Amino acid sequence: MTVVPPTGPFNAPLVLVGRDPGWQEVAKGEPFVGEAGRILDAALADAHVDRAAVCVTNVVGRRPGHDEWANHTPDDIADGAARLLGLLSRAPRQCIVGLGGQAFYACATGRAPPQSERELARLLVKEFGGNITELRGYIWDGPFGPVLAAVHPAFVLRTWLPWRACLTWDLQKAARWAAGFQRQERVARYSESMAQAAAIVAELRTAPILAVDSEEPPDACVAFAATPENGVALQWPAHAEAIAELLAAPMSKVLQNAQYDLTKFKRYGLTVNGEIHDLMLLWHATEPLIAGRSSGGAKRSEKSLRFLASVFTDEPWYKDYAFQSGEEKYILCAKDARVTLEVWQRLLLRH
């Protein structure tokens, strides 16, 4: 059976990995030359990436029966994964893009993906925290270099919004990493004492703008960020006075869903002063087709902070709600605050 080989420089710093070839790829002997390939080429062009400078390959180089992954034999998958991992190990990689669940799993773990789609879905949730549409846009440390999760171009053909735009955004991120981008160190912390809470208030009360996020009981907290690099959570109700002082301070506030949060704060007797900015409303105004819903009510896109962070920041995956302690919940809230501010700033630059 024909094996479709990789194309492009084998030592390229940017590698794109798909699942397996279709009939057009087998006929031409190159990956991604059919309909999915045309989507990929368009997204690469939009991201200003020269395909000739990129190594493009698949997890398995053979076409499965009826183009169904489950129709590969275990030997085909094992052989294909071995070839892929051997290729990836030949040179340092600045970014490896896993197009689809099988490719992302193989590149991020260094292991062959399972033959069963259901087992793959289970492993993605267990080992990474979500399915491929939830993980896309985030970068993990893989055995051969940073691995960016992305949807497969064939999926874009079936579901255009928002995944066609996401594919371009993800390839733009991949290009930045391939050019040598280094993620900045960031801080997420929480108050452990009254003295720390007072120090946080002194640090933040003169900031020109604060992003605000909160988590519900148990382990309730309110987090603030004056910059995208530093988020801090204050425990509620232990540090209620410090929280109340910052919310009542006159600087502008950015909230991810202001209408909901303001109602919640009012219920707890907290007053929020300053000009209020709603991140969700700005996202709707910026990308109405992607952020909105169709007339029939079908969801076009996710507009969660997880989704927005994947598009507008280089924050590592952090939206894991399997908390082992209250401290982990405080840290997540602090990260949410800083991500809210960064997404807000990035969206303003698009206007």
Side-chain angles (χ1 to χ4, degrees):
M1 187 181 293
T2 302
V3 175
V4 176
T7 57
F10 284 7
N11 64 344
L14 177 57
V15 183
L16 306 183
V17 182
R19 195 190 77 173
D20 46 30
W23 72 268
Q24 289 168 295
E25 285 76 15
V26 171
K28 192 170 181 180
E30 296 180 18
F32 286 103
V33 294
E35 290 298 319
R38 282 186 275 278
I39 293 292
L40 180 61
D41 287 344
L44 286 168
D46 290 343
H48 305 291
V49 175
D50 180 7
R51 176 164 172 166
V54 177
C55 182
V56 183
T57 189
N58 283 299
V59 177
V60 177
R62 294 183 174 89
R63 182 190 178 195
H66 305 289
D67 293 320
E68 295 289 342
W69 173 260
N71 291 334
H72 281 301
T73 67
D75 286 345
D76 278 349
I77 295 173
D79 178 63
R83 289 172 185 257
L84 169 65
L85 302 180
L87 172 66
L88 295 178
S89 68
R90 290 176 59 165
R93 310 298 182 178
Q94 294 290 89
C95 189
I96 302 164
V97 181
L99 296 163
Q102 288 86 359
F104 170 71
Y105 184 84
C107 297
T109 66
R111 303 192 299 269
Q115 185 180 23
S116 163
E117 297 269 7
R118 179 174 294 182
E119 177 63 8
L120 174 66
R122 187 189 71 83
L123 289 175
L124 288 177
V125 171
K126 178 183 177 181
E127 299 184 30
F128 297 97
N131 59 46
I132 192 63
T133 58
E134 294 168 328
L135 302 176
R136 59 128 298 278
Y138 286 94
I139 289 182
W140 276 261
D141 293 327
F144 306 105
V147 180
L148 172 66
V151 297
H152 195 283
F155 178 66
V156 174
L157 284 169
R158 300 192 298 272
T159 314
W160 192 258
L161 287 173
W163 309 116
R164 173 60 180 86
C166 286
L167 184 59
T168 293
W169 292 330
D170 293 344
L171 292 175
Q172 287 173 338
K173 181 178 287 190
R176 286 193 294 106
W177 279 71
F181 171 83
Q182 295 293 318
R183 191 156 43 200
Q184 288 184 325
E185 197 67 35
R186 299 189 173 195
V187 176
R189 53 200 169 100
Y190 62 95
S191 60
E192 299 184 78
S193 67
M194 297 299 289
Q196 285 185 345
I200 289 165
V201 172
E203 172 191 337
L204 298 179
R205 64 187 170 196
T206 58
I209 190 167
L210 283 181
V212 183
D213 196 82
S214 62
E215 291 288 343
E216 299 280 5
D219 307 310
C221 64
V222 180
F224 301 89
T227 71
E229 292 76 38
N230 196 329
V232 58
L234 293 164
Q235 301 170 46
W236 174 272
H239 300 141
E241 290 186 10
I243 291 170
E245 183 174 347
L246 287 175
L247 290 177
M251 79 282 288
S252 297
K253 310 293 193 306
V254 180
L255 300 97
Q256 200 254 337
N257 185 351
Q259 297 182 52
Y260 172 79
D261 287 332
L262 291 176
T263 300
K264 179 170 58 177
F265 289 143
K266 184 177 181 180
R267 188 168 68 244
Y268 285 101
L270 296 167
T271 300
V272 183
N273 288 327
E275 186 177 4
I276 304 298
H277 302 284
D278 191 314
L279 178 60
M280 190 175 292
L281 292 181
L282 180 60
W283 171 238
H284 272 267
T286 305
E287 293 285 355
L289 285 178
I290 293 177
R293 295 172 182 268
S294 71
S295 58
K299 196 170 186 180
R300 289 186 184 272
S301 157
E302 295 188 61
K303 41 186 173 269
S304 64
L305 195 58
R306 170 194 54 76
F307 178 84
L308 295 175
S310 75
V311 173
F312 295 105
T313 81
D314 290 285
E315 188 80 23
W317 173 268
Y318 72 103
K319 299 297 276 185
D320 185 354
Y321 289 93
F323 301 118
Q324 301 299 313
S325 65
E327 289 78 8
E328 290 182 2
K329 190 173 185 180
Y330 304 147
I331 292 299
L332 183 141
C333 191
K335 290 179 178 179
D336 276 346
R338 74 183 189 203
V339 165
T340 294
L341 185 59
E342 182 171 8
V343 173
W344 171 260
Q345 292 174 343
R346 296 294 180 93
L347 280 172
L348 288 180
L349 292 175
R350 294 179 61 172
H351 281 267

